[in-house]
Amino acid sequence: MKIEQLQQLLKIVEEGSINEAAKELYIARSSLSTSMKNLERELGAQIFSRNSKGVCLTDFGADVYSQAKDICSKIDFIQSVPYEEDRMNLSISSMYCSLANDAFVELYQRHFRDNFTGSIEECTLNEVIRQVNSGLSEIGMVTLFSDSESVALKKIADNHLEFHKLIDRKLHAIIGPKNPLYAEERSSVGLDDLKDFPYIVNYASPSDYSWERTLDGRKRKRAEIHVSDLGCALRLINATEAIMIDTYDKDTYAQFYAPNGCKFIPLADSPLACKLGWVKSENKTISKAAEEFIAIINVKASYGNF
């Protein structure tokens, strides 16, 4: 797959016609058509379907278009930034990690007057790996869970990336004032204590996929509630007896969860362990900005708020 093919794909969608796109790109229609057929062959599915007005995206093509648009916009941004010897630039892909977000803010606060440019994007593990491997991001922040760690590390290595562990993290149950456990002032809870309560599956959180499988094995009596927004999850925890499972850090708790009446209670018998780390290309040396970013995270982690 070439960047040129992705740019051609965007132009075809913009024009709604291969003929018109070919004119705009100053290439032969047959060449553009062949390029798209090669892309479809490489991806293993049809991107365009024909209609009376020209071409339109298939469902698969719509997904490819969305990814292509994101990749091309990042390339356009990189090309638009003039090179300066003293410019600080850092691009990060991150499975949702408040520690990384806080470190990025601190890095910006230190250098916003020094021609600092940067980006931080929250995404899945697979997308973190893809973006760092392709060079769209310099480093990636990832959370690995013990039940799938070996698979994740193999995928990281297969994409010529290195994993560097930062800290171990523990899972907690998050409950609100409507939950019977709230008033018991417990220092910890067990899996059996949680099986009777609805479980909020927040797919913005990297812990849920592994944790959902664990709760399924405990024969839960109540179904899960699917959300993709932390605000909705917080409202549900505050107003119902529903629970959520996630990792804990003091700053995020104080900023988001405590004002919403939530408590974090450690899981005493969690079958899962998880660790936070970062990945980079194995054949590249990270920039000074990335080094400083990692140093900030290490300092924050040393506070012991996890």
Side-chain angles (χ1 to χ4, degrees):
M1 183 189 307
K2 300 177 181 178
I3 297 299
E4 181 183 46
Q5 289 175 300
L6 301 182
Q7 293 169 333
Q8 291 169 350
L9 168 62
L10 298 187
K11 181 59 69 174
I12 293 172
V13 174
E14 179 183 323
E15 298 296 330
S17 163
I18 293 180
N19 282 335
E20 293 303 316
K23 292 177 183 177
E24 290 292 323
L25 294 168
Y26 299 100
I27 61 176
R29 183 199 181 285
S30 58
S31 297
L32 180 56
S33 180
T34 299
S35 179
M36 290 300 98
K37 287 179 181 178
N38 289 338
L39 181 60
E40 289 177 326
R41 188 179 301 112
E42 182 177 350
L43 296 177
Q46 188 175 356
I47 296 175
F48 292 106
S49 62
R50 297 183 178 278
N51 57 33
S52 59
K53 297 181 179 179
V55 294
C56 61
L57 291 168
T58 62
D59 290 342
F60 173 76
D63 290 336
V64 176
Y65 170 75
S66 178
Q67 296 290 337
K69 190 174 182 180
D70 177 55
I71 292 170
C72 290
S73 66
K74 288 186 176 182
I75 292 173
D76 289 342
F77 171 76
I78 292 170
Q79 293 175 338
S80 69
V81 177
Y83 176 75
E84 295 180 23
E85 190 68 35
D86 61 347
R87 177 182 294 278
M88 287 198 70
N89 179 62
L90 179 62
S91 55
I92 303 166
S93 296
S94 174
M95 294 171 67
Y96 178 76
C97 176
S98 59
L99 185 60
N101 295 342
D102 291 344
F104 186 80
V105 170
E106 181 168 332
L107 185 70
Y108 171 77
Q109 289 173 332
R110 292 181 183 184
H111 298 287
F112 73 96
R113 292 187 176 90
D114 304 326
N115 293 320
F116 177 83
T117 61
S119 65
I120 181 167
E121 179 177 347
E122 293 175 358
C123 47
T124 64
L125 173 63
N126 287 339
E127 190 65 11
V128 169
I129 292 173
R130 185 190 69 80
Q131 293 191 10
V132 177
N133 174 262
S134 66
L136 292 174
S137 294
E138 181 177 359
I139 59 175
M141 299 296 301
V142 299
T143 299
L144 304 184
F145 293 87
S146 54
D147 67 336
S148 57
E149 180 179 336
S150 60
V151 174
L153 287 174
K154 184 178 186 305
K155 187 176 295 185
I156 288 169
D158 287 346
N159 283 271
H160 309 291
L161 306 181
E162 299 173 353
F163 173 76
H164 299 264
K165 175 184 170 181
L166 290 168
I167 53 174
D168 292 310
R169 307 200 72 177
K170 295 181 179 180
L171 291 170
H172 291 64
I174 310 173
I175 63 173
K178 300 292 185 180
N179 190 293
L181 299 173
Y182 191 89
E184 295 184 14
E185 299 297 333
R186 294 194 178 199
S187 59
S188 65
V189 293
L191 292 174
D192 285 337
D193 297 320
L194 305 177
K195 70 179 187 298
D196 295 335
F197 304 115
Y199 172 59
I200 299 171
V201 181
N202 177 18
Y203 286 117
S205 170
S207 61
D208 284 308
Y209 295 105
S210 292
W211 184 246
E212 187 179 4
R213 290 196 297 272
T214 300
L215 282 181
D216 283 341
R218 288 295 170 122
K219 297 181 179 179
R220 281 180 290 144
K221 297 179 180 178
R222 305 288 291 277
E224 66 266 4
I225 306 167
H226 290 210
V227 302
S228 59
D229 177 77
L230 179 59
C232 182
L234 291 173
R235 178 62 180 148
L236 283 167
I237 295 170
N238 177 267
T240 73
E241 60 180 17
I243 64 166
M244 191 166 75
I245 306 298
D246 208 341
T247 51
Y248 168 84
D249 73 75
K250 184 177 180 180
D251 292 338
T252 301
Y253 172 72
Q255 183 176 357
F256 294 107
Y257 291 96
N260 284 276
C262 303
K263 284 185 178 180
F264 275 62
I265 306 178
L267 286 170
D269 58 349
S270 171
L272 292 177
C274 60
K275 60 183 64 171
L276 175 69
W278 58 280
V279 296
K280 75 170 189 71
S281 177
E282 63 185 16
N283 60 357
K284 292 182 181 179
T285 301
I286 62 173
S287 65
K288 291 182 179 180
E291 288 180 351
E292 187 172 349
F293 174 79
I294 297 300
I296 292 171
I297 287 184
N298 280 318
V299 170
K300 289 182 177 295
S302 70
Y303 295 160
N305 294 337
F306 302 92

